[in-house]
Amino acid sequence: MIEVSQLTRVFRTYKKVPGFWGGVKGLFYRDFEETAAAKDISFSIKEGEFVGFLGPNGAGKTTTLKMLSGLIYPTSGTARVAGYDPTKRENAYRRLFALVLGQKNQLWWDLPAIESFNLLRAIYAIPESQFKATLDELVTLLDVGQKLNVMVRELSLGERMKMELIAALLHRPRVLFLDEPTIGLDVVSQKAVRQFLRDYNRKNRVTILLTSHYMADIKELCERVIVIHKGKKIYDGALDRLESSGGARKKIITFLPAATANGAFPETWQARHATTTTRTADGKFTLCVPGDNVVVVSQEILSTGPVADITIEDIPLEDVIAELFSAQA
């Protein structure tokens, strides 16, 4: 469904010298700086895939989505979405995809959402029967039937995002680009949006490319992730393989010595097989341990002295991604 080859976008920005004389100098001579927001990015996505697109701020995620949407032109490289070239901005292609930007609104701020939906029906020439059926389905799934006639500016952030999703899906796109759709939402709204996206993807086999800084979104929705850093792709594969590679092979063991431990765990205590050890003010030890050594380290902890509580868990995905970025710095 999506084929990207050596996609590159370079932005040329003017470097202004501070002060009045710097402004005068800029009238006659300007110094420019080129920044590669995306550099030689290549990947392919099959129909119906739900792919996470990860990277730190400024990595080039939104730039890539905008190139795939035809909003900006690539400096070099090619992209094909369902056989179309996004740079040509053909009407047939624009009917085929939808782009949702979590920090930008497409609905009219001072009108009820239903008015914007009717406008979109006219723009996309959606038959009345299809429009009503699609709208009823989406409104029911997102549980916003009581809010259709409320002005958008009076809706909560979560309600507005649900309306944005409805607006994006009214014309039944085959490809959906989502740029941080859950940003700023509370836990309940995030869960509702994730559940909706998961069900909609499975039911309609819509190809979805999702960017998000909330790892819960990625873990619950995506089996595959593409990671970019400083405009370059550094990982493309299964999410579980990313979690089980590198630093993710480590586990975190946290334990609290019992009151009867009597100093069995000194301040500098460290298991022989642990990579790092820290101790909090309340006396808890936290160890970062290679996965293969979890049993040995746990036995060592329990044999050193009495323990009131012990937990073993995976390193958070956020830390795995951060470690991957650090390795590419």
Side-chain angles (χ1 to χ4, degrees):
M1 181 62 72
I2 301 175
E3 290 280 350
V4 174
S5 177
Q6 304 295 310
L7 201 62
T8 299
R9 172 66 190 196
V10 177
F11 289 101
R12 191 166 181 251
T13 56
Y14 164 51
K15 296 174 63 177
K16 182 183 181 302
V17 179
F20 172 77
W21 290 112
V24 173
K25 179 182 177 182
L27 295 174
F28 303 96
Y29 172 78
R30 292 194 171 192
D31 187 16
F32 291 91
E33 180 181 39
E34 291 190 345
T35 303
K39 187 174 182 181
D40 297 329
I41 295 178
S42 299
F43 60 82
S44 61
I45 298 176
K46 298 179 181 178
E47 182 179 5
E49 273 195 282
F50 203 135
V51 180
F53 199 36
L54 305 179
N57 291 329
K61 305 184 299 298
T62 302
T63 298
T64 302
L65 293 187
K66 287 182 176 180
M67 285 191 285
L68 292 176
S69 303
L71 294 178
I72 59 177
Y73 289 93
T75 304
S76 62
T78 59
R80 307 287 292 183
V81 181
Y84 290 95
D85 181 354
T87 62
K88 294 182 179 180
R89 301 181 180 180
E90 300 171 77
N91 283 336
Y93 175 62
R94 288 188 284 185
R95 294 176 184 275
L96 181 136
F97 80 93
L99 171 66
V100 177
L101 299 173
Q103 302 186 64
K104 293 184 181 296
N105 297 317
Q106 63 175 318
L107 301 176
W108 287 91
W109 190 249
D110 292 313
L111 293 177
I114 189 63
E115 297 289 348
S116 292
F117 297 158
N118 285 321
L119 176 61
L120 289 169
R121 180 183 69 81
I123 290 173
Y124 286 101
I126 305 172
E128 181 68 33
S129 58
Q130 177 184 321
F131 171 77
K132 187 177 186 307
T134 303
L135 181 61
D136 289 346
E137 177 189 5
L138 296 174
V139 166
T140 301
L141 286 172
L142 288 169
D143 191 25
V144 289
Q146 303 299 318
K147 301 294 183 178
L148 288 178
N149 293 303
V150 177
M151 285 187 289
V152 171
R153 61 182 171 85
E154 296 180 357
L155 297 174
S156 69
L157 184 57
E159 291 166 345
R160 288 205 304 272
M161 181 48 62
K162 291 178 181 179
M163 296 300 185
E164 293 284 346
L165 288 171
I166 292 175
L169 297 172
L170 279 174
H171 63 289
R172 297 182 181 178
R174 295 170 56 195
V175 179
L176 182 59
F177 301 122
L178 299 173
D179 188 26
E180 300 189 50
T182 59
I183 188 169
L185 302 188
D186 59 62
V187 175
V188 175
S189 297
Q190 287 180 21
K191 184 176 180 180
V193 169
R194 285 196 294 262
Q195 183 64 48
F196 168 74
L197 292 174
R198 184 190 302 112
D199 293 343
Y200 193 84
N201 169 253
R202 291 174 179 173
K203 180 179 179 180
N204 298 282
R205 287 193 55 77
V206 175
T207 305
I208 302 178
L209 188 57
L210 165 71
T211 79
S212 178
H213 288 296
Y214 296 120
M215 290 302 104
D217 292 348
I218 303 300
K219 294 184 73 171
E220 291 189 27
L221 296 173
C222 307
E223 294 183 357
R224 174 188 170 195
V225 294
I226 298 171
V227 183
I228 64 173
H229 184 49
K230 295 182 179 179
K232 295 183 179 180
K233 184 180 75 174
I234 59 176
Y235 179 84
D236 182 358
L239 177 61
D240 56 2
R241 183 156 58 89
L242 176 62
E243 291 182 295
S244 64
S245 66
R249 281 197 291 268
K250 301 171 184 174
K251 302 284 185 177
I252 293 177
I253 301 178
T254 303
F255 69 94
L256 176 64
T260 57
N262 295 324
F265 303 94
E267 195 72 32
T268 58
W269 183 87
Q270 179 169 337
R272 290 179 291 107
H273 303 284
T275 56
T276 59
T277 305
T278 59
R279 189 177 188 181
T280 58
D282 59 0
K284 284 186 179 180
F285 286 92
T286 300
L287 289 71
C288 184
V289 180
D292 295 339
N293 296 336
V294 169
V295 174
V296 174
V297 174
S298 299
Q299 291 174 341
E300 185 172 339
I301 292 170
L302 296 174
S303 65
T304 302
V307 175
D309 182 54
I310 183 170
T311 60
I312 302 172
E313 58 187 356
D314 292 326
I315 288 182
L317 181 59
E318 293 92 331
D319 293 348
V320 177
I321 300 295
E323 186 173 316
L324 187 61
F325 294 153
S326 298
Q328 298 293 322

